[in-house]
Amino acid sequence: MTFEQLQLISPILKALTKENYTEPTPIQTQAIPPVLAGRDIFGCAQTGTGKTAAFLLPILQLLSAKQDRPNGKRVIRSLILTPTRELAIQIADNCKAYGRFLNLRSAVIVGGVSQRAQEQDLAQGMDILIATPGRLIDLMNQGFADLRHVQILVLDEADRMLDMGFIHDMKRIIAKLPAKRQTLFFSATLPNEIKSLVDSLLTNPVKVEITPVSTTAERIQQSLYYVDKTNKLPLLIDIMQDKSITSALVFTRTKRGADRIVRGLTKANITAQAIHGDKSQTARQTALNNFKNGSTRLLVATDIAARGIDIDELSHVININLPNIPETYVHRIGRTGRAGLSGIAISFCEHEEIPFLKDIEKLIKQRIPVIQDHPYPLTMTEPAPVPAMAAKAGRAPSGNGTPRGNGGGAPRGNGGGAPRGNGGGAPRGKSAGAPRVGASGREGGSGAGTGSGGSKGGFRGRRPVGK
Ligand code: AMP
């Protein structure tokens, strides 16, 4: 399938060529034709699938075909609601890129920055408004935002908007829109609340479903380090000695944790910046820009701040903490390995996080390969039960303090989870970089996934490369 076959107009095709998009992703193939035909869409997909272009491209095409401007003024004809400011800004960037050869105007309205410029934007008029719910409500209440002409509504990452408590704001905004409109609804997960929202908002929608959340992990090369909480920073610093890790998004559970990590990395002369809710919008955007342009190697983020952030060429995701919600793990590692490319996800697991690991492995239906050989092995503080799988595998203790008795610790006997056969899984043609863990160290790549206990080739081979 090609973009031409999707009946996209030539100014859009030209813009896609400029973006180096050669062919549509599955969600684009599925969603673009019905959106162009005016249908409502219920998309079950997460970031990384190309869903932004899946809705933006047909919206741009529909709006440019019909340039109706009451009194010669641009009016908001499409409203895109997103949970986070970063995501809104990113969608707006994409919108500008895809629409660069069209005569359409878009603008972003988010909190955390001065309202004045946004008032001016609204006064000037625009075709597409990309907004987070809170600030939009403020501007609506003050009479600045007129939504009476909206023909196409997009709710992006609706589940996250719900999680973040935006449901009432969303409903208040939607109440101001014309009832006769096209609605495109995207959500990565389908809790009951989402289902009832879909029922109430969409008319005879076309359902577009891409990679259920539990399987996105497939194309990403994952590994796990058992490590004490206090040794996580030293271990991260050690891992970062590998210069091939050019850009890593690091997740922490808390904002304070993110700041602590950044301080530690900075002391160790590793460039890092934090991005989280306590930072001003300008600071967050600067951190993101520095990361995107390569002047910062590590971006340390909390889940909410990182959700939906679109970073090209992101080779690594590092989880300092394992999330207690297993789906969050899938979302996090989905920051790498985008648009069908492979990536690398490294996770640290302290003793208290072992139950989280079990839940994650259950969800992704695979064992995350364990890196046995590293300088900060977990010191067991209490005996833990020997898991059935480890016992079955007859795994020899590695003698390096890796917890043998934990639920998720299955190193090489990992039920076949590890080897997905893309040992050299370098994301998007990055040369040596990414696969260092994979090429030598990834358990699967070394034949370690055999359950034989003989995985010496596994991660043993890793360290010299990095050092
Ligand atoms: P999204 O799921 O919208 O966050 O998109 C994930 C990434 O894929 C972004 O970096 C997009 O720029 C990129 N992308 C989207 N569509 C395509 C495509 N058809 N070909 C290549 N890259 C794409």
Side-chain angles (χ1 to χ4, degrees), residues 3 21 23-25 28 47-52 310 312 338-339:
F3 284 115
Y21 293 4
E23 56 179 2
T25 66
Q28 291 160 6
T47 48
T49 54
K51 81 174 150 61
T52 313
D310 172 20
D312 289 339
R338 289 197 153 201

Side-chain angles (χ1 to χ4, degrees), residues 69-87:
R69 298 203 181 128
N71 308 322
K73 191 173 169 267
R74 287 180 196 268
V75 288
I76 302 168
R77 292 187 288 149
S78 179
L79 170 66
I80 300 171
L81 284 180
T82 80
T84 65
R85 302 158 189 179
E86 287 77 12
L87 184 56

Side-chain angles (χ1 to χ4, degrees), residues 222-227 232 235 239 317-323 329 332-333 345-349 353 357 360 368-369 371:
Q222 303 166 70
S223 60
L224 186 90
Y225 290 75
Y226 286 104
V227 55
K232 286 184 172 178
L235 178 59
I239 288 173
V317 162
I318 302 177
N319 294 311
I320 299 294
N321 303 106
L322 283 179
Y329 175 81
R332 286 183 182 183
I333 71 170
I346 296 170
S347 300
F348 295 173
C349 181
E353 291 167 341
L357 175 65
I360 290 166
I368 305 173
I371 307 252

Side-chain angles (χ1 to χ4, degrees), residues 3-74:
F3 284 115
E4 284 83 357
Q5 286 169 325
L6 292 174
Q7 312 287 326
L8 292 171
I9 51 175
S10 66
I12 294 181
L13 294 175
K14 228 163 85 185
L16 294 175
T17 307
K18 241 179 147 33
E19 293 298 302
N20 292 323
Y21 293 4
T22 49
E23 56 179 2
T25 66
I27 193 170
Q28 291 160 6
T29 306
Q30 287 185 41
I32 291 173
V35 180
L36 284 176
R39 297 284 304 268
D40 281 1
I41 294 281
F42 173 26
C44 193
Q46 58 179 93
T47 48
T49 54
K51 81 174 150 61
T52 313
F55 63 76
L56 277 181
L57 300 177
I59 288 178
L60 287 166
Q61 179 147 330
L62 289 171
L63 296 184
S64 85
K66 214 165 52 142
Q67 299 264 359
D68 35 331
R69 298 203 181 128
N71 308 322
K73 191 173 169 267
R74 287 180 196 268

Side-chain angles (χ1 to χ4, degrees), residues 427-440:
R428 55 240 78 159
K430 278 201 161 132
S431 56
R436 192 182 59 83
V437 173
S440 60

